[in-house]
Amino acid sequence: MGDYTIKHTEYPAPVTEAELLAMRQEKEISEEKYDFIRRFLTVCANLYGAMEMRECWAVYQKAAKLWDMPMKVIRADFRDTFEILRRDDSLRFRIYTRNELDDFHIVQGGWMVAVLIHEDIMWQEGYLERLALPFMHHGYFDDPPHISDRFMSFLDHPQTKEEEALLAFVNGLKVDEKFSKPGVGMFTETHAGERLDSFSWISDAENKKLRGLWLGLDGVKRDANQAKGLEKKLARESAAERALQSFRYGLQAAVGKNVKSPLRDFISFLKKELHVSLTQKQETDLAELSVAFSNVLPRWAEKGLSPLESYEDVLKLTRKGDTYRLTVLDPDELEEEKERRKEIEDRALQEEMLKQWKGQNDFTYPEPLTDKALRSLARKNKVTLKALRFLDTYFEACAYVNGAVTIRDCWEMYKYALEDDGEDEIPEIHMTDFKGSLEILRQKGHTSYRILTQKELTGRKGKHDSWMKEVVIGKNIMNDTMEWRAAVMYLLAQMDASDSYNMPDGFPGELLYHLYEPDFDEELKIFKKSVSKS
């Protein structure tokens, strides 16, 4: 493959905040737009390690179809921020043109084929050859990256709760002996008894490079400006953060290999490099937190999938007092672990929804109309009574099975059922019938469901609300004894997370038949009678 190393000397020199501002103003890029693109590309770097800018744009386009982005941007915005980002030294990534990478001297495509590379790759010798280059040769269009359900949360909060917990633990560890390790700059510091988050740390190789840049030693050309820049970058992270950085690198490099090794190396790094003495309990606690972090860390070689998402290299820690045993989960154990995590995430989601919508049960639903007014509205909306009767029963079935479901998903389920059962079981209903029936059914009394707009459901109107986003909700959810909005939002979030809805065998045909049975329950008797009249 050749010697694929980065030509660091060819990368543009960083500029000051004032100069960055001037560059943004020249391109007419607002601070908000620049901040969004910077955060978006940081997520791409964290999830995928290295990818071309055109692939980053493709990820944005796909993500924008799945979720409401906090800011809408176009491809020209990516192009215009490209050179500015290359001069911003505060980032955790760099963007190299293909001509700045060895063996790529004549490449067409400009900024679109420039390569976004995570900072961790550049700090590790030989890492680019092992991880970054496969992404350049087998990019997005051959094997698209995984766009996680957590993608949007990463925009505002790149760290997972598992990483935060691990970093908080490592921050609290202390150096327990005299620490004579070079600090940042041409001096030696001692850190006996200090927390790992209270001082900076550099490796022997980094100290050697600094000495070379300051003094022109070891075959390194003297360059005071580059030395100052390197010191500033190294001082940005504490010893605890550098330790965690080495662990992340070890996990990324261990894909397909012995995944237990990075944890052993991490503990060894803390003991030998940072001079931390761990009790057996501390080591076990650290291992437990590290395993949790390892299992949710998106792997670059897996296109952004974490071990729990890819069913690969999932670690299990078994505690016995203050000791532990580390194993890799077999398929059966993995299924159990995924179910356990799903239960935990479900509880957290329920609590968040209840907290968000507590005390917001008030809203005004349209008053029911007379049968004559309903028929008049049906003629106005060009909906036949046959279609209206079917959709009334069909929406009841959807609410009965799913609890809460969007009109869009009701339409998708209907199309699927029509293809499966044919018109003998289910009448052919057009999308215009779905749309036209909503206003009518919202004003029909004696139904066991309700149809809510997004504004009624969330208390606020979105920019892109449409009739397809209206929600069919079973009345049993909307009672006075619970926070029904929280329950509905939870059900819809569950559906979005699984990208599916509840559609049992025989749905909706068999269920529609049962809904028409006269002895189903009293409410449905009233419902049937009402439909027959209309």
Side-chain angles (χ1 to χ4, degrees):
M1 290 178 63
D3 180 21
Y4 296 106
T5 56
I6 296 176
K7 296 180 178 180
H8 294 279
T9 55
E10 293 187 5
Y11 197 79
V15 297
T16 64
E17 285 291 333
E19 290 172 306
L20 286 174
L21 176 60
M23 293 174 72
R24 290 204 306 270
Q25 290 174 339
E26 182 181 350
K27 293 287 187 178
E28 297 183 350
I29 299 171
S30 67
E31 183 178 353
E32 293 77 12
K33 184 172 290 186
Y34 180 77
D35 179 64
F36 170 76
I37 293 177
R38 178 173 59 182
R39 287 187 293 120
F40 180 83
L41 293 179
T42 298
V43 175
C44 290
N46 289 340
L47 289 177
Y48 312 121
M51 67 194 316
E52 291 180 349
M53 287 296 290
R54 62 175 175 171
E55 297 169 356
C56 296
W57 170 243
V59 169
Y60 170 80
Q61 289 179 299
K62 185 172 181 180
K65 291 179 180 178
L66 296 173
W67 304 289
D68 290 331
M69 285 290 184
M71 177 164 288
K72 303 294 182 182
V73 296
I74 59 176
R75 189 169 70 171
D77 295 323
F78 274 68
R79 178 198 65 205
D80 292 342
T81 57
F82 167 67
E83 283 297 342
I84 306 174
L85 290 166
R86 281 162 51 83
R87 311 298 291 270
D88 190 339
D89 197 39
S90 67
L91 306 176
R92 294 299 305 272
F93 62 84
R94 282 187 173 183
I95 306 173
Y96 284 90
T97 65
R98 296 296 285 265
N99 295 335
E100 289 167 347
L101 302 175
D102 281 356
D103 291 359
F104 291 107
H105 295 296
I106 305 175
V107 178
Q108 302 297 320
W111 72 273
M112 290 286 279
V113 295
V115 183
L116 174 81
I117 301 179
H118 193 281
E119 185 179 59
D120 284 357
I121 293 177
M122 298 180 293
W123 284 98
Q124 306 296 338
E125 187 175 353
Y127 200 29
L128 178 67
E129 183 176 8
R130 291 202 305 277
L131 281 181
L133 260 294
F135 284 86
M136 297 177 205
H137 290 301
H138 308 287
Y140 181 97
F141 302 100
D142 295 325
D143 184 16
H146 173 69
I147 300 181
S148 168
D149 294 327
R150 299 179 296 166
F151 191 96
M152 293 300 292
S153 64
F154 285 142
L155 271 177
D156 296 318
H157 200 65
Q159 284 186 324
T160 61
K161 62 180 184 298
E162 289 83 2
E163 183 173 2
E164 286 183 336
L166 177 57
L167 181 58
F169 184 88
V170 177
N171 279 339
L173 296 177
K174 295 181 179 180
V175 178
D176 69 332
E177 61 181 74
K178 195 166 185 178
F179 184 52
S180 297
K181 197 74 175 174
V184 174
M186 296 301 295
F187 53 88
T188 297
E189 296 178 345
T190 59
H191 300 286
E194 293 185 23
R195 286 168 53 105
L196 297 189
D197 61 353
S198 65
F199 63 93
S200 299
W201 175 91
I202 62 175
S203 67
D204 290 333
E206 290 161 350
N207 184 57
K208 183 178 179 181
K209 184 174 182 179
L210 269 178
R211 290 175 60 87
L213 289 171
W214 279 116
L215 305 174
L217 302 174
D218 303 317
V220 179
K221 184 179 178 180
R222 186 173 180 176
D223 189 333
N225 288 331
Q226 190 178 350
K228 289 177 182 178
L230 181 58
E231 283 188 356
K232 181 181 177 182
K233 184 179 287 290
L234 292 170
R236 198 169 64 194
E237 295 178 323
S238 67
E241 290 170 322
R242 292 299 303 277
L244 190 55
Q245 183 186 50
S246 73
F247 184 41
R248 279 198 304 265
Y249 160 68
L251 291 171
Q252 297 289 6
V255 171
K257 303 175 184 177
N258 184 359
V259 292
K260 302 177 189 177
S261 297
L263 177 57
R264 290 194 288 264
D265 294 341
F266 181 38
I267 293 173
S268 176
F269 181 92
L270 291 169
K271 290 179 176 179
K272 295 181 179 179
E273 297 292 338
L274 300 181
H275 297 268
V276 173
S277 286
L278 298 169
T279 65
Q280 186 58 54
K281 183 180 184 308
Q282 281 180 316
E283 183 171 331
T284 302
D285 291 343
L286 175 65
E288 193 167 39
L289 292 168
S290 300
V291 166
F293 169 60
S294 170
N295 288 338
V296 300
L297 178 69
R299 298 297 203 269
W300 299 339
E302 296 290 343
K303 290 287 188 175
L305 283 168
S306 70
L308 279 175
E309 292 169 321
S310 66
Y311 283 69
E312 296 287 341
D313 297 340
V314 179
L315 294 175
K316 176 184 178 181
L317 183 138
T318 307
R319 294 189 72 139
K320 189 174 182 180
D322 288 342
T323 62
Y324 66 92
R325 178 171 173 264
L326 199 63
T327 55
V328 178
L329 290 184
D330 61 37
D332 291 338
E333 290 175 318
L334 182 57
E335 283 297 332
E336 292 177 5
E337 174 64 16
K338 288 179 76 69
E339 286 298 322
R340 186 186 71 82
R341 287 188 58 82
K342 186 176 184 301
E343 289 177 4
I344 293 173
E345 290 170 357
D346 284 352
R347 285 197 297 271
L349 181 59
Q350 287 175 334
E351 291 172 1
E352 178 61 29
M353 293 302 178
L354 284 170
K355 181 180 177 182
Q356 184 176 356
W357 299 110
K358 189 171 180 61
Q360 297 189 34
N361 284 345
D362 54 314
F363 86 106
T364 303
Y365 197 71
E367 290 292 328
L369 298 179
T370 64
D371 289 347
K372 182 178 179 180
L374 286 172
R375 286 194 292 271
S376 175
L377 190 56
R379 286 193 296 271
K380 177 185 175 183
N381 291 355
K382 299 180 180 179
V383 180
T384 65
L385 294 181
K386 178 183 176 182
L388 189 63
R389 183 185 179 198
F390 168 77
L391 288 173
D392 195 353
T393 314
Y394 175 69
F395 288 146
E396 182 181 18
C398 291
Y400 179 79
V401 171
N402 291 280
V405 60
T406 63
I407 296 297
R408 179 188 59 199
D409 285 339
C410 289
W411 170 247
E412 292 297 328
M413 285 190 285
Y414 168 76
K415 288 194 299 181
Y416 182 85
L418 188 64
E419 292 174 2
D420 192 40
D421 293 343
E423 294 180 32
D424 293 338
E425 295 287 337
I426 303 172
E428 184 174 5
I429 304 295
H430 299 288
M431 184 183 285
T432 53
D433 294 322
F434 268 73
K435 182 178 180 180
S437 70
L438 298 181
E439 182 185 1
I440 305 167
L441 295 176
R442 276 168 53 82
Q443 299 179 77
K444 177 184 177 297
H446 305 301
T447 60
S448 61
Y449 67 90
R450 283 183 172 178
I451 302 173
L452 268 63
T453 65
Q454 283 292 313
K455 185 176 181 180
E456 290 168 338
L457 178 60
T458 64
R460 54 186 180 273
K461 183 173 176 61
K463 292 181 180 179
H464 307 287
D465 287 350
S466 71
W467 64 273
M468 292 287 274
K469 290 186 178 181
E470 293 185 14
V471 181
V472 179
I473 304 170
K475 267 188 180 178
N476 60 315
I477 292 179
M478 299 173 62
N479 55 58
D480 297 329
T481 60
M482 67 179 292
E483 306 290 346
W484 63 266
R485 275 196 177 99
V488 171
M489 296 301 288
Y490 166 73
L491 287 171
L492 296 178
Q494 286 290 90
M495 240 173 265
D496 285 340
S498 61
D499 195 25
S500 65
Y501 29 71
N502 190 5
M503 192 171 177
D505 291 339
F507 179 88
E510 292 182 14
L511 187 58
L512 293 178
Y513 172 78
H514 288 302
L515 287 177
Y516 278 119
E517 286 185 352
D519 58 346
F520 190 74
D521 61 33
E522 189 62 26
E523 186 176 0
L524 292 180
K525 287 181 186 178
I526 300 172
F527 160 76
K528 180 184 175 184
K529 189 176 180 181
S530 175
V531 171
S532 299
K533 284 183 179 180
S534 63

